[in-house]
Amino acid sequence: MTHRILIIEDEENIARVLQLELQFEGYEAAMAHTGAEGLLQYREQQWDLILLDIMLPEMSGIDVLKRIRATESQTPVIMLTAKSEVEDKVKGLDLGANDYVTKPFEIEELLARIRNALRFSQKVSPKQVALTFGHLSINEQTREVVYFDKEIQLTPREYDLLFYLLKHPKQVLTREQILEAVWGYDYYGDTNVVDVYIRYVRQKLEAANPTPLIQTVRGVGYVLKEHSYET
């Protein structure tokens, strides 16, 4: 199996060298040169590992990491940092980065850290990464969604939305919180997109079972709750 690695690095020469080195080692590697572009590529495809620079245009690596970890925790992320960015290293690790490499780095060291991160992620069985709430189950590793024993087919964005709700069961989430975690700054202020996608997800869940699962809290937002919750 060929592992797929996403390189999010704004210095194009560095990104290209990393891509060539990874391809030489047998990996499939793609590049993104801004935080927003990297986040988009992450959400549109499946990756086995992400190399993430901290200093990025449009959206910092820390912000990209926040959005990744808001919807899943399994994809290994290795941060690429400068020597002076000690605070960012700590913040990255606290937010769920698996490792970091300080620039300038030796490619052999980076490759060793990549191999280690991939080995660790492969040890996690799908059963260990399943989240459940009532009759709803989501497997982080396979992104499989099952509701009342029926598999639910979701788009990547719908999956991210439902997974975020599932990570905060019975907690009322504002539209702004959902927007920030699932869409990021590109949709800042446009909370209508949350309502639209909540409707999409509800329709797919209720096709499996009509029991309402995502409840509306009027004037506030939404909550994943098995019984009616309206104010």
Side-chain angles (χ1 to χ4, degrees):
M1 174 180 136
T2 301
H3 288 107
R4 305 184 72 243
I5 297 176
L6 176 60
I7 304 161
I8 308 177
E9 164 64 66
D10 65 320
E11 294 186 48
E12 295 187 19
N13 290 338
I14 293 177
R16 181 58 178 157
V17 168
L18 287 174
Q19 184 184 44
L20 291 172
E21 290 284 355
L22 290 170
Q23 289 174 342
F24 181 77
E25 294 293 323
Y27 298 109
E28 183 180 335
M31 297 182 293
H33 301 304
T34 71
E37 179 191 355
L39 189 61
L40 182 63
Q41 286 201 45
Y42 157 75
R43 284 173 168 163
E44 289 185 342
Q45 301 182 54
Q46 294 291 323
W47 304 98
D48 297 300
L49 184 139
I50 298 170
L51 295 178
L52 179 60
D53 189 27
I54 284 184
M55 300 298 293
L56 292 169
E58 296 183 3
M59 182 190 298
S60 74
I62 293 296
D63 286 337
V64 172
L65 180 62
K66 281 182 184 177
R67 287 165 174 80
I68 290 173
R69 290 301 184 238
T71 55
E72 63 102 352
S73 62
Q74 295 307 306
T75 305
V77 177
I78 297 178
M79 305 295 290
L80 307 178
T81 72
K83 285 185 178 180
S84 60
E85 296 165 350
V86 176
E87 184 178 339
D88 284 333
K89 292 176 187 176
V90 173
K91 186 182 292 185
L93 292 171
D94 284 343
L95 287 171
N98 300 78
D99 202 352
Y100 68 86
V101 177
T102 302
K103 297 179 183 178
F105 51 80
E106 296 291 335
I107 190 65
E108 290 80 6
E109 178 189 1
L110 178 60
L111 291 171
R113 290 178 183 271
I114 288 172
R115 289 192 295 270
N116 184 63
L118 289 172
R119 274 196 302 269
F120 181 80
S121 68
Q122 289 171 344
K123 290 179 182 177
V124 182
S125 72
K127 290 182 180 179
Q128 290 177 299
V129 293
L131 291 182
T132 60
F133 180 77
H135 294 277
L136 175 67
S137 175
I138 293 182
N139 188 303
E140 285 188 68
Q141 197 171 61
T142 64
R143 294 174 74 91
E144 181 183 37
V145 178
V146 176
Y147 188 50
F148 278 90
D149 297 322
K150 296 180 181 178
E151 186 172 353
I152 308 300
Q153 299 296 327
L154 300 177
T155 67
R157 190 77 74 177
E158 290 167 355
Y159 171 89
D160 289 346
L161 171 59
L162 183 58
F163 189 79
Y164 181 66
L165 293 172
L166 185 55
K167 285 182 70 176
H168 303 85
K170 300 182 182 180
Q171 178 181 335
V172 178
L173 300 167
T174 68
R175 290 173 175 82
E176 289 75 16
Q177 285 177 302
I178 297 171
L179 192 69
E180 171 70 14
V182 179
W183 279 268
Y185 84 107
D186 283 339
Y187 289 83
Y188 184 75
D190 183 16
T191 57
N192 287 337
V193 71
V194 175
D195 301 325
V196 171
Y197 274 81
I198 286 286
R199 185 169 68 251
Y200 292 160
V201 174
R202 275 176 169 165
Q203 288 171 349
K204 291 183 177 181
L205 291 176
E206 290 174 13
N209 187 284
T211 305
L213 186 63
I214 302 174
Q215 308 292 334
T216 301
V217 182
R218 293 177 185 167
V220 183
Y222 299 96
V223 59
L224 196 69
K225 198 175 189 332
E226 292 184 286
H227 303 289
S228 181
Y229 191 121
E230 295 210 356
T231 62

